Amino acid sequence: MTTVTIVRPTLADKPAWRRLYDGYARFYKRPMNDAKANLVWSWIQDPNHPVECLLARADDGAIVGLAHVREYPRPLLGGLGGYLDDLFVDPARRGGGIVDLMFAAVAELAAERGWISVQWKTAEDNYRARAVYDRVGRKTHWITYEMDPAQS
């Protein structure tokens, strides 16, 4: 049985993080390039940027999962929440509880920060992930919209 620890990324983790982030982008059919990936990496290395990264490190040293999370204001609720932007586990390592460890780490971070909730979204057809999400969270009745400012 492989032991997994949730850690903050070090500079040496960039290639492994990038491999997972590229996999995440492929899954959602979003183009990824060096400029975008380097920008996100610079965000998670900047302690003053709101985006933070958690990595799942196996006892063999392999990075097997990533989560990007950030704090955001919840004006109507009068508090701060967390937003889980990205969550991805190496497909070869799925089914071993890594995602549960990642959610536990996000929940611990949320409790430490006093966040009133953690939200995320996923594709409607992401059934495998939704089975996990239905277990660790609750589906809301909110519908997500997106506006392209260039088209407005």
Side-chain angles (χ1 to χ4, degrees):
M1 171 90 180
T2 301
T3 303
V4 174
T5 307
I6 306 302
V7 298
R8 297 297 181 137
T10 67
L11 291 175
D13 293 324
K14 185 178 181 183
W17 167 87
R18 176 67 191 267
R19 179 183 57 81
L20 290 174
Y21 200 50
D22 285 348
Y24 180 75
R26 270 191 309 278
F27 178 81
Y28 279 111
K29 298 176 177 63
R30 298 286 188 187
M32 182 55 58
N33 59 41
D34 288 344
K36 282 192 244 182
N38 288 337
L39 177 62
V40 175
W41 182 254
S42 75
W43 291 347
I44 63 179
Q45 292 299 308
D46 179 354
N48 296 313
H49 196 279
V51 173
E52 298 178 66
C53 181
L54 301 173
L55 297 176
R57 184 185 309 279
D59 55 7
D60 63 3
I63 300 298
V64 297
L66 68 78
H68 297 146
V69 64
R70 61 188 158 88
E71 184 172 277
Y72 76 107
R74 304 286 314 268
L76 195 56
L77 299 178
L80 297 172
Y83 196 85
L84 179 61
D85 284 290
D86 310 315
L87 178 67
F88 188 76
V89 173
D90 184 330
R93 304 281 187 126
R94 292 181 184 163
I98 295 167
V99 72
D100 293 319
L101 293 172
M102 300 208 70
F103 270 110
V106 170
E108 184 177 320
L109 179 65
E112 288 171 6
R113 304 272 174 88
W115 294 346
I116 55 180
S117 66
V118 176
Q119 292 186 341
W120 63 95
K121 63 183 177 182
T122 193
E124 187 173 351
D125 64 353
N126 191 0
Y127 300 111
R128 183 170 184 175
R130 287 180 59 194
V132 173
Y133 302 161
D134 287 343
R135 186 170 38 81
V136 300
R138 66 186 172 283
K139 185 178 174 189
T140 69
H141 67 277
W142 297 101
I143 298 171
T144 301
Y145 288 87
E146 186 172 84
M147 178 178 69
D148 181 354
Q151 302 294 320
S152 301

